[in-house]
Amino acid sequence: MALTRKTAFIACTALTCAAALPVTAHAQDAAEAETQGQGGNAIIVTAQKREQRLVDVPAAISVVGAEDLEKFQAASLVDIAGFVPGLQIDSGGTPGQSTISLRGIAALGASQTVGAYIDEAPVGSSTLYARSAEFSTDLLPYDIERIEVLKGPQGTLYGASSIGGLLKYVTRDPDLNTMEIRGGGDLFTIADSGDLGYAARVGINMPVIEGQLAVRGSYSFRHTPGYIDDLGAGGDDVNKYDQQSARIAALWEPTSNFSLEVAGMWQKTDADGYSVTRFDIPEPYLSNTEQVPFGALEPLGDGRSIDDQLPSLFQNEITYLTATAKLDLGFADFLSATSYSDSTTYQYGDYTDVYGVLIPLVTGQPGVSAFYITLDLEKFTQEFRVSAPDGNAPLQWVLGGFYTHEKSGNLQTVTAQDLNLDPIPGVDPLALAGLPSTYDEYAVFGQASYTFAEVFELGGGLRWARNEQDFRQISSSAVGLVPEADDPGSSAESVWTWSAFGRYEVAPSASLYARAATGYRPGGPNVILPDTPTQVDADTLTSYEVGFKADLGGNLASVDMALFQMDWNDIQLSVSNDSGVSYFDNAGKARARGFEFGGSIRPAEGLSIALNAAYTKSELREDAPSGVGAKGDRLPNIPEFSVSFGPQYAFGLSGDWEGIVAGNIRYVDDRLTGAETAVNTLSLPDYTTLDLSLAATNNVFTVRVYARNVTDEDAYLSGGIARTGFGERNYGWAVPVQPRTVGVALDLRY
């Protein structure tokens, strides 16, 4: 048996290295990669709701470690996308205004397709009316130990709205035995900005009763200056924003078989404007129905400018409280995870070019118009589960129950103001809509696996969930944009999801695996508009994948590769009518197929080279309703190919100081802003960015000089074409990659 496994291992190693070197890499940082292997320093993940070595999990997972986050001073989800094959982050112009896609599953509707967890509990909403697709949980990552990115549907263990995958923030636990103080700050500049950016952070871990009770606390602040000029009334550098985050956690472990951890986190993002640039559309394309080539758009001003008559604002604030109890029952491990979160999102923007054109029709005088939205979400969750007490036993199992209650508010207003910015009597607001809703879900789930002869694991899982929703539309309009309504709606549905997997341990640190799994997004009652379906069905997804992951040659290399197919049915879409008012619909089928590879090699002492790559072909398999897309169309916001290359070299300096130089080159293929055949779809160009970092550290002090987007590439994360209230083309817009950013950071750990 040993000889057979060794032979197979050598064969797989040769084939993998031959296939790997031209293309990709692993998402873990190089320092962690050097310690991963058969020993106790292997990367540990909790993807299957128990601690396992990453290499032993029969599913595709990428890990972004704390060192990756610090290397280039990551401040939002946009900054980590290059570390994870198949991950696409589309920005709305600030942290917190972001849409997450994995494996070609774009968030086409209003609710998220990639779920989010903080430790043991979900965050964000599962309803249609909380707009979770465009306002993803985006943490300022100072007290984050790692981010686990689970790919493919996670409906069995993690529930609704994770059909594309899951982002799991794993925070730092209090240490019962070690006192720790850490802190730091940095200064940075952004090209085209007239101001200096700055950040500060501090954290402390303090054992109160050694070995039994400890407290950890942290606070971080970051000010990012603006670089977008408003050629209208706003002035220069209008897109500056501030981020704050605070967390406190206490861990009590009075005995060896019981622990209780309580934690509270608060985070706020406050932006004075959006990182959005505007483009004029040449006259020939304004008056015809041909698609507008991106190259035909004419940048406004210096190419990093807008022309607004009203300011733009974005604020997001979240409070998140958790209590997690663990008890060793002897025959099983018991866990109770309770969470409560309260979040508020406020978004305000100039929509004069879209809705202001309606004002002269009513008043005979020009005016201005703003669109603003206020979202409130209160969410309570409770999960109980029991699992196998021995993580190394052949039989592994977990059984659990889950409950969530969500109460969300969604107030949308379109204003009508004169040129003095005073409300126009009898016309203001042009439209008003309140969409309060509640969502309750009950679920039971289980998963089990058995390992035969210590090398072959078979397993599967099942989950039953029922959700019940109540909804009310309260709407009015002075000009008929939305109907007068004060009407309730409700829905209820029960859904089964399942998973099945097999894993063959080719060698102690190498596995082949296959996995099939399902997931769903809840449906619900629809908004009330003419010729609009009253109910939106749940959409479902079934995924198939095969993969190989290994640490090779005594940690000289690591690989993680997978082939996958995702079949998506009854897709939920957000559709706009001719007046630009949105409603929901189901849109047939889509399929995403692709290949992902992550890996690293360590050819010499101190040198590591990481590669990440993904190829994804994602397209509609049926015509979508309302002209949204046609069979064969590429899905929006998904690059067919992306790759990043990240070398790092550590070398000795004077005394106990060490130098570390690192880089990351990322290429992202072109993306579509809408359905391929839709006339108002833009094709955003491909781009390449370069990041560099140079650090000196003695494990107490770290001094780092870093640069992101070194070549100041004019690249774009997202975009589209704005239309007037009459449905006519008006202008193009795009969110740029942050211009060249150069900074210096100092950190202390004691």
Side-chain angles (χ1 to χ4, degrees):
M1 174 64 74
L3 179 61
T4 302
R5 291 176 61 193
K6 182 177 180 180
T7 304
F9 172 64
I10 294 172
C12 286
T13 300
L15 290 172
T16 301
C17 289
L21 292 178
V23 274
T24 58
H26 202 270
Q28 69 202 40
D29 64 272
E32 287 176 321
E34 290 180 9
T35 61
Q36 183 180 0
Q38 199 172 354
N41 289 324
I43 293 180
I44 303 299
V45 296
T46 56
Q48 296 196 108
K49 299 206 171 183
R50 61 186 175 96
E51 292 189 345
Q52 292 176 277
R53 295 189 311 166
L54 177 66
V55 73
D56 294 333
V57 180
I61 304 170
S62 292
V63 175
V64 182
E67 184 174 321
D68 284 319
L69 299 173
E70 294 170 2
K71 193 180 301 181
F72 304 109
Q73 295 299 298
S76 69
L77 286 173
V78 168
D79 299 327
I80 73 165
F83 294 103
V84 181
L87 175 65
Q88 174 68 19
I89 308 293
D90 298 294
S91 173
T94 67
Q97 294 188 88
S98 53
T99 300
I100 308 173
S101 303
L102 269 170
R103 288 191 164 178
I105 304 303
L108 301 180
S111 58
Q112 62 194 14
T113 58
V114 177
Y117 262 60
I118 301 177
D119 296 321
E120 295 289 350
V123 287
S125 177
S126 298
T127 72
L128 295 166
Y129 298 102
R131 302 184 74 154
S132 59
E134 58 189 286
F135 299 115
S136 300
T137 302
D138 198 343
L139 299 187
L140 185 62
Y142 184 54
D143 215 21
I144 303 298
E145 181 176 309
R146 66 183 183 272
I147 302 174
E148 298 179 12
V149 182
L150 287 60
K151 302 173 186 178
Q154 306 296 322
T156 303
L157 292 179
Y158 292 95
S161 300
S162 58
I163 60 175
L166 185 90
L167 261 68
K168 189 173 186 179
Y169 294 95
V170 180
T171 59
R172 300 177 189 271
D173 290 326
D175 190 318
L176 296 172
N177 301 297
T178 305
M179 180 77 175
E180 179 193 38
I181 299 173
R182 62 194 184 112
D186 56 301
L187 297 172
F188 59 96
T189 63
I190 300 177
D192 288 348
S193 176
D195 297 321
L196 192 66
Y198 51 89
R201 46 200 174 265
V202 63
I204 184 170
N205 183 87
M206 183 172 62
V208 179
I209 302 174
E210 188 171 350
Q212 293 188 25
L213 178 64
V215 177
R216 174 183 288 275
S218 67
Y219 173 78
S220 57
F221 174 85
R222 189 174 188 87
H223 169 73
T224 300
Y227 51 86
I228 301 293
D229 296 335
D230 186 353
L231 305 182
D236 295 340
D237 301 337
V238 297
N239 62 316
K240 60 182 180 291
Y241 60 86
D242 295 331
Q243 299 165 273
Q244 297 182 74
S245 180
R247 178 176 179 264
I248 186 166
L251 176 61
W252 180 45
E253 196 171 299
T255 66
S256 61
N257 64 351
F258 175 76
S259 68
L260 173 65
E261 182 172 346
V262 294
M265 186 193 72
W266 171 82
Q267 178 167 300
K268 184 177 182 180
T269 300
D270 194 343
D272 287 344
Y274 307 150
S275 303
V276 175
T277 61
R278 179 166 165 169
F279 301 84
D280 288 332
I281 301 175
E283 179 59 37
Y285 291 103
L286 282 173
S287 56
N288 64 33
T289 57
E290 295 179 16
Q291 283 191 346
V292 184
F294 190 87
L297 297 175
E298 299 172 351
L300 203 62
D302 62 357
R304 291 171 180 163
S305 302
I306 56 174
D307 185 11
D308 285 351
Q309 301 178 59
L310 297 170
S312 295
L313 298 171
F314 175 76
Q315 295 176 346
N316 173 261
E317 186 171 356
I318 180 172
T319 301
Y320 180 74
L321 308 174
T322 61
T324 304
K326 299 178 181 179
L327 177 63
D328 182 354
L329 300 173
F331 67 91
D333 292 332
F334 171 81
L335 181 141
S336 169
T338 308
S339 77
Y340 171 79
S341 59
D342 186 354
S343 63
T344 301
T345 300
Y346 178 75
Q347 184 188 55
Y348 180 97
D350 187 349
Y351 272 61
T352 300
D353 289 332
V354 179
Y355 296 117
V357 295
L358 303 175
I359 296 175
L361 300 180
V362 181
T363 67
Q365 299 293 327
V368 296
S369 179
F371 174 79
Y372 63 88
I373 181 171
T374 301
L375 302 171
D376 298 291
L377 175 65
E378 290 183 65
K379 184 183 182 80
F380 169 82
T381 73
Q382 175 63 57
E383 180 168 309
F384 297 109
R385 67 176 187 263
V386 290
S387 58
D390 181 0
N392 296 315
L395 177 63
Q396 293 295 311
W397 55 270
V398 59
L399 295 172
F402 175 81
Y403 169 73
T404 183
H405 170 75
E406 300 176 15
K407 180 181 179 182
S408 67
N410 181 334
L411 178 62
Q412 304 177 41
T413 305
V414 180
T415 69
Q417 300 160 260
D418 60 28
L419 297 183
N420 295 319
L421 306 186
D422 295 321
I424 300 174
V427 181
D428 182 64
L430 285 173
L432 178 68
L435 304 170
S437 64
T438 62
Y439 177 93
D440 290 274
E441 181 181 323
Y442 314 81
V444 291
F445 62 90
Q447 179 171 291
S449 67
Y450 191 86
T451 301
F452 300 88
E454 299 183 349
V455 296
F456 186 55
E457 180 185 18
L458 282 178
L462 193 65
R463 186 186 190 102
W464 173 85
R466 178 175 177 81
N467 70 77
E468 298 173 354
Q469 302 182 53
D470 291 311
F471 156 80
R472 194 169 197 91
Q473 177 177 331
I474 307 166
S475 59
S476 62
S477 173
V479 294
L481 276 178
V482 295
E484 298 284 337
D486 187 358
D487 299 314
S490 63
S491 68
E493 62 184 346
S494 298
V495 178
W496 290 91
T497 52
W498 56 265
S499 64
F501 54 87
R503 182 179 68 91
Y504 176 62
E505 189 174 286
V506 181
S509 293
S511 296
L512 290 164
Y513 72 88
R515 179 177 185 262
T518 63
Y520 83 105
R521 283 193 301 176
N526 209 351
V527 295
I528 301 166
L529 290 170
D531 302 320
T532 300
T534 59
Q535 183 82 17
V536 184
D537 296 331
D539 54 0
T540 59
L541 188 142
T542 303
S543 169
Y544 311 91
E545 70 175 279
V546 293
F548 174 75
K549 56 179 68 177
D551 295 312
L552 308 174
N555 289 324
L556 293 178
S558 62
V559 295
D560 191 344
M561 54 197 301
L563 285 166
F564 64 87
Q565 175 173 303
M566 314 265 276
D567 289 330
W568 193 1
N569 296 315
D570 296 323
I571 303 169
Q572 291 176 13
L573 282 178
S574 182
V575 183
S576 297
N577 63 19
D578 291 338
S579 298
V581 180
S582 297
Y583 61 95
F584 304 112
D585 208 343
N586 293 99
K589 301 178 180 179
R591 172 173 286 168
R593 290 175 170 171
F595 172 74
E596 295 164 350
F597 182 92
S600 62
I601 57 174
R602 289 163 288 281
E605 183 177 354
L607 176 63
S608 65
I609 301 172
L611 293 159
N612 289 299
Y615 171 78
T616 307
K617 187 175 181 60
S618 184
E619 61 185 21
L620 287 172
R621 299 181 64 203
E622 294 180 355
D623 291 344
S626 307
V628 171
K631 181 179 180 180
D633 277 3
R634 284 175 57 188
L635 293 187
N637 306 319
I638 306 298
E640 284 197 357
F641 182 68
S642 61
V643 61
S644 68
F645 172 78
Q648 177 170 297
Y649 181 61
F651 51 94
L653 296 173
S654 175
D656 59 353
W657 284 82
E658 181 184 51
I660 304 172
V661 59
N664 189 68
I665 301 173
R666 186 186 185 208
Y667 170 80
V668 179
D669 209 351
D670 66 285
R671 290 91 57 226
L672 301 175
T673 63
E676 190 170 7
T677 57
V679 297
N680 290 311
T681 290
L682 291 174
S683 177
L684 298 177
D686 59 353
Y687 66 88
T688 303
T689 58
L690 169 65
D691 301 333
L692 296 173
S693 173
L694 176 63
T697 181
N698 67 353
N699 294 321
V700 177
F701 292 98
T702 299
V703 181
R704 188 185 309 274
V705 178
Y706 64 93
R708 296 205 302 265
N709 193 9
V710 173
T711 59
D712 201 21
E713 179 87 357
D714 284 326
Y716 302 98
L717 300 169
S718 55
I721 291 179
R723 296 182 294 161
T724 70
F726 302 115
E728 300 169 340
R729 289 175 178 167
N730 199 337
Y731 61 88
W733 63 272
V735 175
V737 172
Q738 186 168 298
R740 181 174 53 246
T741 301
V742 179
V744 58
L746 173 65
D747 283 279
L748 164 70
R749 282 184 170 87
Y750 176 74

